[in-house]
Amino acid sequence: MIVVMKPSAKTREQEAVLTWARENGFSAEILKSDKPVLLCLRGDTAHLDPERLRCLDGVDSVRRLTEAAPLAARSEGREHTAVTVAGIRIGGGSFAVMAGPCSVESRDQIQALAKSVKAAGADVLRGGAFKPRTSPYSFQGLGAEGVALLTEAGKAAGLPVVSEIVSPRDLPLFEEVDLLQVGARNMQNYELLKELGHAGKPVLLKRGPGCTLKELLLSAEYLLAGGNERVILCERGIRSFDTAGRYTLDLAAVPILHEKSHLPVVVDPSHGTGCAVYVRPMALAAAAAGADGLLIEVHNDPTHALSDGGQSIRPEELKELTVRIKKLREIL
Ligand code: PEP
Ligand code: MN
């Protein structure tokens, strides 16, 4: 069982709950010590009425661990959570488009793209600097310099930025990055997730191509249990028997995750299909399925992109897409 203490709860109230639990035969410990404090009770809690705990001083709510991921789960009647990234609301009825190149390649490239995706209606600028590439011989990204160029371009265009972090050791480089992306390959890098649980920044958590939705929610739980309440889930395609697209974009994940979790869900139709011509139809389908946003790769010169050019759309195509999404959402 997890006991969520009120932000105003005193240390002695928290101690009283722990003592009460121990005296009643449970083992009890502090799961998260910064506010709101979370306490974890272990033992045979099946017959323990949560109300007995809820009426103790300082207790806000009590959640039974019948759910594998209780903090990510959406309990009966709970509203969907909106995550705010530098003033941009994602989820809870607000839709955001995150767009930009797969990789930051140069100052000129990212400056030009930042301006054009902003003009095309994007809310957040994306750009990878630490690239987890399948081959060690592929372009690995500009690293620290790429992060700096991205944040500079975001500021110039007036857009918050999202970029992938692959190791906690790089956190100091991401100080000015508004949203930390955990890539598909790192969805189950639990040490990274633990660190990002208390990094003080929102996280965009991408689904691993071989991972179930339950595993995605358990990875989100690592972030939430560490005290990070700003978690956005991202469906980006899974590996199936079909090789027609780069991956199989599992759009059923959107309503399923919305049913099971209160967290916002965005869709990446670029990696999900691997081919620019499929990106716009699947982006519209994602919006129709109830997604809270999109992550889209955009490039000014896709044929010469250093990574993922084949799945990158052009800024003018993004513009057309954002207009159609707006209309579609109005109809819906
Ligand atoms: C990306 O968004 O650039 C990326 C590498 O995506 P994924 O982790 O989903 O493969
Ligand atoms: Mn990419």
Side-chain angles (χ1 to χ4, degrees):
M1 226 171 221
I2 290 186
V3 179
V4 183
M5 300 300 291
K6 290 179 181 155
S8 58
K10 310 266 183 313
T11 309
R12 67 177 150 71
E13 291 171 334
Q14 149 193 332
E15 287 303 324
V17 176
L18 292 171
T19 306
W20 183 95
R22 287 170 191 146
E23 283 174 1
N24 283 276
F26 304 101
S27 73
E29 59 179 304
I30 299 170
L31 191 64
K32 178 169 89 68
S33 55
D34 46 342
K35 292 185 180 200
V37 170
L38 301 183
L39 309 177
C40 178
L41 268 60
R42 291 196 180 84
D44 183 12
T45 56
H47 304 293
L48 172 58
D49 181 356
E51 280 307 307
R52 288 189 63 193
L53 283 160
R54 242 185 40 77
C55 62
L56 297 179
D57 289 341
V59 173
D60 187 20
S61 60
V62 180
R63 303 200 197 152
R64 243 183 225 295
L65 280 176
T66 43
E67 298 280 1
L71 300 174
R74 186 156 80 99
S75 44
E76 197 92 20
R78 176 162 183 184
E79 297 290 319
H80 283 106
T81 300
V83 168
T84 303
V85 177
I88 304 291
R89 240 174 86 94
I90 303 171
S94 301
F95 191 89
V97 175
M98 301 176 242
C102 176
S103 302
V104 177
E105 299 171 5
S106 67
R107 173 173 279 130
D108 286 352
Q109 174 241 20
I110 194 66
Q111 286 281 345
L113 270 170
K115 291 193 182 83
S116 47
V117 300
K118 166 96 179 178
D123 305 291
V124 178
L125 174 67
R126 66 149 284 153
F130 290 89
K131 299 299 302 176
R133 303 304 301 278
T134 307
S135 164
Y137 307 117
S138 301
F139 175 59
Q140 300 288 308
L142 296 181
E145 188 197 346
V147 177
L149 293 176
L150 178 73
T151 53
E152 181 190 66
K155 281 195 190 116
L159 288 175
V161 298
V162 54
S163 196
E164 178 164 357
I165 182 161
V166 294
S167 164
R169 126 193 115 213
D170 298 329
L171 263 171
L173 303 172
F174 282 70
E175 220 153 85
E176 293 190 40
V177 172
D178 303 285
L179 176 61
L180 303 177
Q181 178 172 321
V182 173
R185 292 158 187 81
N186 274 315
M187 187 201 95
Q188 290 180 308
N189 181 339
Y190 300 118
E191 293 310 311
L192 176 63
L193 297 177
K194 281 183 203 165
E195 287 297 323
L196 299 189
H198 51 80
K201 285 194 186 277
V203 173
L204 177 75
L205 178 64
K206 297 187 95 176
R207 178 186 187 181
C211 294
T212 63
L213 295 176
K214 185 174 173 187
E215 287 163 340
L216 173 63
L217 290 177
L218 280 163
S219 289
E221 191 76 8
Y222 268 89
L223 296 162
L224 296 162
N228 193 339
E229 291 176 347
R230 292 187 292 164
V231 179
I232 301 167
L233 305 171
C234 180
E235 165 58 42
R236 49 75 73 210
I238 54 174
R239 187 148 276 163
S240 76
F241 54 83
D242 202 323
T243 52
R246 184 178 179 188
Y247 292 96
T248 297
L249 186 59
D250 178 15
L251 285 186
V254 177
I256 294 173
L257 288 171
H258 274 156
E259 186 198 9
K260 294 195 181 302
S261 174
H262 60 92
L263 298 172
V265 181
V266 306
V267 170
D268 171 354
S270 308
H271 293 87
T273 62
C275 184
V277 292
Y278 307 141
V279 168
R280 283 178 292 166
M282 294 314 280
L284 288 166
D292 300 298
L294 293 163
L295 182 70
I296 300 185
E297 289 187 340
V298 180
H299 203 283
N300 273 326
D301 182 9
T303 46
H304 293 105
L306 296 183
S307 60
D308 287 349
Q311 65 192 35
S312 300
I313 60 170
R314 294 170 183 277
E316 53 276 21
E317 293 169 318
L318 179 70
K319 168 98 187 154
E320 190 230 56
L321 177 62
T322 58
V323 170
R324 295 186 73 194
I325 283 175
K326 195 157 178 276
K327 284 188 192 153
L328 176 66
R329 284 180 46 82
E330 277 163 18
I331 295 166
L332 290 171

